[in-house]
Amino acid sequence: NFKYNRGIKEDEKIIGINIGSAERWPSKMLDIKNIVKLVKEIDSKTSFRSLILVGPLEKKLGKDKQIIKELNKENIQFYINDSDNTLEEFISIINLCEIIVTGDTMTMHIGIALKKKVIALFYCTPPWEIDSYENLIKISSPLLEKYLFSNEHIQELINSVSIEEIFGNIKKVSEKQNI
């Protein structure tokens, strides 16, 4: 239903960008400016269409509306999920994606289980606790040791992984997989 209701074509290539985190780990949430920058890069330099993956916390904080507003200003076409999806619906939405960019979140684990190419950002949780299963690329914050297991919102930490590094890995994965 999601695919049909959004007009997603059968041959359309989708990259999922999970913007959120659970309340316990607020520094796993991508900054809106960085999301917009990443989606602009994807839109202008790849054949992918971005699907912004939003959860209940992001909706509660109004981040979904902020992202929609900012991306519309840039005249970028994208998709966004409804944050009140059931778990089964959310899994189906993730399954539409060829690549997923996410923090160390439930979305990462679902993507790994679905054998999607996942680019996971580790800001404050240890990447060595997660097996790569040959479909996971781990990007660790250079501030990981300093903020290991921090459950505070720290803007310095949130901004510590560059969009250029994330996008470079998107390009590598898409070229390697020929998608």
Side-chain angles (χ1 to χ4, degrees), residues 18-153:
N18 181 31
I19 66 167
S21 67
E23 288 188 69
R24 179 170 181 210
W25 308 105
S27 290
K28 289 184 185 181
M29 192 175 293
L30 289 171
D31 184 75
I32 290 177
K33 290 177 192 164
N34 287 335
I35 295 165
V36 171
K37 187 176 177 183
L38 179 60
V39 173
K40 282 175 70 173
E41 286 287 303
I42 292 166
D43 186 63
S44 66
K45 297 179 180 173
T46 74
S47 58
F48 286 95
R49 175 78 51 93
S50 295
L51 167 56
I52 309 299
L53 299 167
V54 178
L57 178 60
E58 296 80 53
K59 184 174 184 175
K60 177 180 155 185
L61 296 173
K63 293 199 179 265
D64 57 340
K65 288 182 176 49
Q66 290 175 303
I67 289 170
I68 291 168
K69 180 181 172 186
E70 293 301 316
L71 290 174
N72 284 337
K73 272 192 223 175
E74 299 288 338
N75 201 28
I76 296 172
Q77 292 191 6
F78 62 96
Y79 301 112
I80 191 165
N81 72 302
D82 302 315
S83 62
D84 58 350
N85 304 118
T86 65
L87 179 58
E88 291 81 8
E89 289 168 335
F90 190 65
I91 291 169
S92 293
I93 291 168
I94 291 171
N95 201 34
L96 296 174
C97 303
E98 277 78 22
I99 300 172
I100 299 160
V101 176
T102 182
D104 174 13
T105 63
M106 177 182 73
T107 302
M108 177 193 71
H109 294 285
I110 293 169
I112 292 169
L114 291 172
K115 297 184 179 4
K116 299 296 176 177
K117 292 299 176 187
V118 179
I119 299 169
L121 314 173
F122 290 85
Y123 295 102
C124 57
T125 52
W128 54 86
E129 291 184 347
I130 307 297
D131 193 329
S132 294
Y133 297 102
E134 298 182 17
N135 62 325
L136 174 66
I137 294 174
K138 301 174 189 180
I139 301 175
S140 297
S141 165
L143 303 175
L144 178 66
E145 277 187 43
K146 180 178 179 182
Y147 293 111
L148 189 63
F149 292 117
S150 172
N151 58 3
E152 298 174 41
H153 181 271

